[in-house]
Amino acid sequence: MKTLFLLQLVSTFYMTGLIWFVQIVHYPLFALVGRARFTRYQQAHQLRTTIAVGPMMLTEAATTVAIVYWPPPGMGPAFTWTGVGLLFVVWFSTALLQVPRHQVLASRFSPRHIRSLVISNWLRTIAWTARSVLLLIYLAQIFPNK
């Protein structure tokens, strides 16, 4: 149970840090790539991003589901199910909002889709940040100040 929690903690913190970088730096810079090379850039971006995020997103998802069945000591259902709900927000946002915009951008440069990607990505940014806060609250409960 401790290992599950540590894997979830590491994967969630990794994804939270990464999503903030993507939100503040990476996605806004898409607009500066330029029309001429954008589709090639976007296709390479999708492949490399999958390599960077895929294993951690899958680890986070697997540990989130596992913790539903084997919660660590003191992690009640409210923590567990809030974490599950936030992860659903991340995955549904990815599938329904970000992936379709990336698919359009892989075929053509579109300032409108870039803006939409940046705006819609706030949903994932907030959800992952909330997951990290949730895990920090749990840590504070199991390691109280004395």
Side-chain angles (χ1 to χ4, degrees):
M1 286 179 239
K2 216 183 268 187
T3 303
L4 282 176
F5 176 73
L6 289 175
L7 284 170
Q8 183 172 73
L9 186 72
V10 168
S11 60
T12 299
F13 282 12
Y14 174 93
M15 291 308 303
T16 301
L18 184 63
I19 202 68
W20 274 99
F21 173 80
V22 166
Q23 183 64 36
I24 301 300
V25 177
H26 190 60
Y27 281 173
L29 289 176
F30 276 19
L32 300 180
V33 173
R35 198 172 294 275
R37 295 182 182 209
F38 188 80
T39 55
R40 191 166 164 216
Y41 170 84
Q42 174 62 14
Q43 291 164 359
H45 163 267
Q46 284 180 271
L47 176 64
R48 291 175 184 214
T49 298
T50 299
I51 294 166
V53 304
M56 284 298 184
M57 282 185 76
L58 292 174
T59 299
E60 183 185 31
T63 57
T64 299
V65 170
I67 283 175
V68 168
Y69 296 100
W70 303 287
M75 183 179 278
F79 273 95
T80 305
W81 289 106
T82 301
V84 168
L86 289 167
L87 195 60
F88 273 128
V89 169
V90 166
W91 280 80
F92 280 110
S93 177
T94 300
L96 301 175
L97 300 175
Q98 284 73 48
V99 167
R101 284 160 177 83
H102 278 291
Q103 288 172 336
V104 168
L105 293 170
S107 65
R108 64 182 162 83
F109 180 78
S110 169
R112 181 175 70 86
H113 281 87
I114 293 170
R115 278 190 305 279
S116 180
L117 183 64
V118 172
I119 292 166
S120 68
N121 195 58
W122 276 111
L123 189 57
R124 291 192 303 180
T125 304
I126 291 165
W128 258 315
T129 301
R131 280 185 54 78
S132 287
V133 169
L134 190 69
L135 294 173
L136 285 173
I137 291 169
Y138 173 72
L139 277 176
Q141 287 181 350
I142 62 170
F143 293 113
N145 290 334
K146 293 199 179 199

